Amino acid sequence: MTPSIGSLPPKYRVTVDHDRCMLCGRCVENCAYGAFRMENDRILTNSRVCTACHRCVAFCPRDAIDVSERPLDYRSHPVWTRGVREAIYNQARTGKIVLSGMGNALDYPMIFDRLVLDACQVTNPSIDPLREPMELRTYLGKKPQRLDLKRREDGEVDLLTELAPNLCLETPIMIGHMSYGAISLNAQLSMARGVTEAGTFMGTGEGGLPEPLHPYQGHMIVQVASGRFGVDIDYLERGAAIEIKIGQGAKPGIGGHLPGEKVNGAISKTRMIPIGSDAISPAPHHDIYSIEDLAQLVRSLKEATEWKKPVFVKIAAVHNVAAIAAGIARSSADAVVIDGFRGGTGAAPRVFRDHVGIPVEAAVAAVDAKLRNQGIRNEVSVIASGGIRESTDVAKIIALGADAVYIGTGALVALGCRVCGNCYRGLCPWGIATQRQDLVDRIDPEVGGRQVANLIHGWTLELMDLMGAAGINSIESLRGNRDRLRGYMIDQALMDVLDVKSVGA
Amino acid sequence: MCGIIGVIDRGRETMDGTAIRRALSMMNERGSGEGAGYVAYGCYPEFKDYFALHVFFDNIHETKPRVDELLHEWGRVVHDEEIPTWDLPRLRKVHTPWRYFFKPDTRLMPRSITPAEEIVTEIVMRINTSVEGALVFSSGRNLGVFKAAGWPEEVADFYRIEDYEGHCWLAHNRYPTNTPGWWGGAHPFNLLDWSVVHNGEITSYGTNRRYIESFGYRCTMFTDTEVVAYLVDLLVRRHALPEELAVTALAPPFWDEIDAMADGRRRLHQALRLTYGSAMMNGPFAIVVANQDSMVAFTDRSKLRPLVGAENGDRLYVSSEEAAIRAMDPGITRVFMPRAGEPIIGRVVA
């Protein structure tokens, strides 16, 4: 049956300026999608396969390539957008769920950009981090409500309270869970080197811990997700902390899917599944059907690792996130990760990515308020993730109540990612979301590691400056300090949720 | 800016308010004539077993009956009267200051280990949040806060502060930026036995407020200073921290210093920071906190506000300025400057 829809307008048009082109062939070599070929001493292009990943642009020595977006658009219409129409064409052809990559692509207002930070003038001095101490050290884990002390004969005070193990971060910026499989070994190695140098941590995702990452295991948080891929006692013991993934901001309520094409020999080994088989993580954990089941799994993991490691629980930011977090706080879990609806992903159904869940700003504000209200804020740390784009986002989300953040897409962008959104195709020309060795080799972990460390370092410096300007010399005093935020053009209902005042108030 | 001063007599010898009035006026450069106040510990010996509640009433006829009713619900008032005042050209009775001597009925708070204090805290929070036109600004036993909008000497003369005797006094000369002219905004701030005077601005106020409110305290006075009184009450009374460790929790050493400590001390300081991170105070400040038996003064971790101490026999003084202390007691024998975050602690021994 010939489809009657015909071909759709190309998303991008690639053009080569033949006056500038020197026929070096780097574009042909670099494009994993086959948009370029050389014929009769001329570079020819096939725009239809282009993803605007800009690999060709980045490596053309003559700036001879131009990529334009939507060269031929549909008749404009405010309701029947291009995305809506194309999804229908796509589904009329296939009858399937439409997959998409990266994060939420709908034009929701960005709450971060409607919150402004504070600075000191006259009545209190701002602090210059170049000259004064500025402390970002952050401990993640359970903290006691109060301390039991005993005064000795000689006047010294002994601490009787046993502290639960905490993760110690030199900066409150971590890298979230992106699995080996979803991304390449060299991408993971780069991030592992970066976080190790920056004194912080990264997540393994649900892809196991491949052996080349073992030297960095002291900075890795190992994930236990619903597919339990890669989980055994050796894996749990290697991690600095363990994270149970209940849900993900990009696709709350559903599981994960790594296509069999990506499951090569090495990945089959770390995930403990046959080569070429789809790795499908179910929507719920098949041993968690209630909050008490979760509490049991937390305790089981703690027992297995002799109560030496913090256990985190990651949930997607959904409407009832605050009550769920309060339930998690009552288990033995040490931190709750709140993943907002802007969180990235290698692959998610388009409808979930764009329509399910809530923004991390509102979720963290609600969680912090609920935990304080119930007097259990010290029972868990709060880690925010999903849509953290720059250091001001970090400062704002901490002021709303988070202890630390996970970044994901930001770290990939530091490795060259251009946010083209084709991660699920396994052909990432930047060597990130791919397992094809020639593409993976495009990342040198030493160079990549430096770039990731640079990014974290740069944000850390900016965070110090922002805190100093606000007259704060320790991150504890920024945490939950919503008085230092003001809302700009935010409606009253949302201001009440965020518990911030308006600008000028 | 603001000027602060405190004195404690470790032998519980009392002093009248004359000298501290003189000392506080010495720091008029640090104030603006819009707020000053004093607290005297030991000033109501005849009622020493009763909580002395000082209340500003906007209107005796409308608001006072509601407070009376609440007090009778929770306990017994043995005596109450208007606090005597003398109008001055620049300082007139905007509010009517009243004092009650009150004994809570402890059977009404059976679960608490300090039921009397819990009841009084509850009454203070309730009046200050829900009875419009009434503000409890002093609620401890055998102590009294006297404050108003004006220069220190005016406020002193308004209350005739020289008629009161105390073994420990704090006083404050205010340069307001936040709530000028509001009597409730003047220092000292008090809750139960604790009184606080403060010079500076607490940049961590939002964090501290959210922390303290999760323990049932309500910040009602639109200023960062009251949170200090509640934090000290929480840490020392409810969590039983020794005073010096409470100060450490509020103005802790930097991590670099903690890392360099010997094992036991390091564990203790690390635990304090982990547990009380939200109680830690940031921003420039010098603070004096007192109760019936002690006076503690400390600054922020970078000492961005001045603090000087001095001694003469049993008398321990702390102030923003040495000149103020000398105006109070020219005979002081030792003057010293504490380092950032290091407390000056005076305890009565008698």
Side-chain angles (χ1 to χ4, degrees), chain A residues 120 122-125 127 132-139 142-147 149 151 155-164 166 365 368-369 371-375 378 399-400 470-484 498-499, chain B residues 1 113 177 200-215 237-245 252-259 264-265 267-278 280-284 300-302 304-305 347:
Chain A
C120 297
V122 185
T123 53
N124 50 10
I127 301 166
E132 306 276 350
M134 184 61 67
E135 300 187 311
L136 293 187
R137 189 186 291 185
T138 300
Y139 284 89
K142 268 201 193 311
K143 296 172 184 72
Q145 193 79 250
R146 51 186 290 182
L147 298 174
L149 305 170
R151 195 180 280 280
E156 285 288 303
V157 175
D158 279 335
L159 174 67
L160 303 179
T161 309
E162 192 74 39
L163 288 195
N166 271 241
D368 180 65
L371 295 177
R372 286 188 193 272
N373 197 280
Q374 300 186 6
N378 268 17
L400 286 171
I472 288 172
N473 63 13
S474 181
I475 195 86
E476 292 108 305
S477 299
L478 180 65
R479 189 172 310 135
N481 199 342
R482 302 186 193 181
D483 291 43
R484 312 310 297 277
L498 299 175
D499 192 17
Chain B
M1 205 124 107
I113 48 164
T177 51
E201 193 166 311
I202 300 174
T203 56
S204 55
Y205 173 68
T207 303
N208 303 143
R209 181 176 61 83
R210 294 175 70 76
Y211 176 69
I212 204 72
E213 290 195 345
S214 74
F215 292 93
R237 181 173 66 87
R238 288 170 62 177
H239 286 188
L241 283 188
E243 278 149 15
E244 70 271 19
L245 287 186
F254 290 98
W255 282 117
D256 286 349
E257 296 166 308
I258 294 174
D259 291 346
R265 273 193 83 209
R267 276 187 51 242
L268 174 65
H269 281 263
Q270 189 191 23
L272 278 170
R273 275 196 79 165
L274 260 60
T275 308
Y276 293 109
S278 298
M280 159 180 180
M281 296 193 303
N282 228 301
D300 64 270
R301 311 193 296 160
S302 303
L304 294 168
R305 288 290 184 271
R347 287 194 185 87

Side-chain angles (χ1 to χ4, degrees), chain A residues 69-82:
Chain A
E69 193 166 8
R70 295 182 200 168
L72 169 63
D73 213 337
Y74 295 81
R75 171 183 102 78
S76 62
H77 193 284
V79 178
W80 295 95
T81 59
R82 180 180 182 125

Side-chain angles (χ1 to χ4, degrees), chain A residues 344-355:
Chain A
T345 174
R350 189 184 67 97
V351 292
F352 279 83
R353 186 195 66 175
D354 292 351
H355 297 277

Side-chain angles (χ1 to χ4, degrees), chain A residues 139-385:
Chain A
Y139 284 89
L140 296 181
K142 268 201 193 311
K143 296 172 184 72
Q145 193 79 250
R146 51 186 290 182
L147 298 174
D148 278 332
L149 305 170
K150 199 175 150 208
R151 195 180 280 280
R152 288 201 309 246
E153 303 260 304
D154 63 359
E156 285 288 303
V157 175
D158 279 335
L159 174 67
L160 303 179
T161 309
E162 192 74 39
L163 288 195
N166 271 241
L167 279 195
C168 175
L169 283 57
E170 291 305 327
T171 178
I173 304 163
M174 302 186 288
I175 299 180
H177 291 257
M178 292 174 281
S179 69
Y180 177 47
I183 61 171
S184 69
L185 182 63
N186 284 1
Q188 278 202 329
L189 273 172
S190 300
M191 293 191 285
R193 296 175 80 115
V195 294
T196 303
E197 187 182 321
T200 179
F201 295 82
M202 70 176 277
T204 57
E206 194 192 19
L209 188 70
E211 204 184 319
L213 284 168
H214 290 179
Y216 309 100
Q217 63 190 26
H219 292 267
M220 309 283 294
I221 300 162
V222 296
Q223 192 176 68
V224 175
S226 61
R228 302 287 154 86
F229 297 124
V231 179
D232 63 8
I233 187 64
D234 177 65
Y235 172 73
L236 296 176
E237 277 174 352
R238 285 184 186 278
I242 300 167
E243 180 166 318
I244 300 171
K245 176 195 174 183
I246 298 295
Q248 186 177 341
K251 40 182 172 178
I254 62 172
H257 181 186
L258 184 72
E261 299 85 57
K262 276 186 163 178
V263 181
N264 60 23
I267 286 168
S268 116
K269 199 172 149 212
T270 53
R271 292 218 176 198
M272 306 171 185
I273 53 171
I275 294 176
S277 65
D278 284 10
I280 296 175
S281 307
H285 286 243
H286 285 168
D287 53 359
I288 302 179
Y289 283 83
S290 65
I291 190 77
E292 57 271 25
D293 288 348
L294 173 74
Q296 269 185 1
L297 180 60
V298 172
R299 271 203 306 279
S300 308
L301 292 170
K302 291 217 166 212
E303 278 296 331
T305 52
E306 299 171 327
W307 296 80
K308 286 182 186 151
K309 294 178 195 296
V311 173
F312 302 171
V313 177
K314 174 179 172 178
I315 54 172
V318 290
H319 303 183
N320 206 22
V321 64
I324 301 164
I328 293 170
R330 288 190 167 74
S331 74
S332 312
D334 298 272
V336 54
V337 183
I338 310 291
D339 197 21
F341 81 157
R342 287 184 203 283
T345 174
R350 189 184 67 97
V351 292
F352 279 83
R353 186 195 66 175
D354 292 351
H355 297 277
V356 183
I358 65 170
V360 71
E361 302 93 318
V364 165
V367 167
D368 180 65
K370 176 79 84 184
L371 295 177
R372 286 188 193 272
N373 197 280
Q374 300 186 6
I376 50 175
R377 182 63 183 81
N378 268 17
E379 292 293 318
V380 276
S381 296
V382 174
I383 301 165
S385 69

Side-chain angles (χ1 to χ4, degrees), chain A residues 416-463:
Chain A
C417 165
R418 297 299 206 259
V419 195
C420 77
N422 286 270
C423 329
Y424 56 94
R425 295 176 58 191
L427 289 173
C428 176
W430 292 91
I432 298 166
T434 179
Q435 301 303 327
R436 222 174 79 185
Q437 196 56 47
D438 63 313
L439 300 175
V440 174
D441 288 342
R442 291 180 179 184
I443 295 180
D444 175 345
E446 202 182 318
V447 177
R450 175 103 307 274
Q451 285 164 202
V452 171
N454 278 346
L455 177 74
I456 296 173
H457 186 59
W459 284 18
T460 301
L461 289 177
E462 287 177 343
L463 200 51

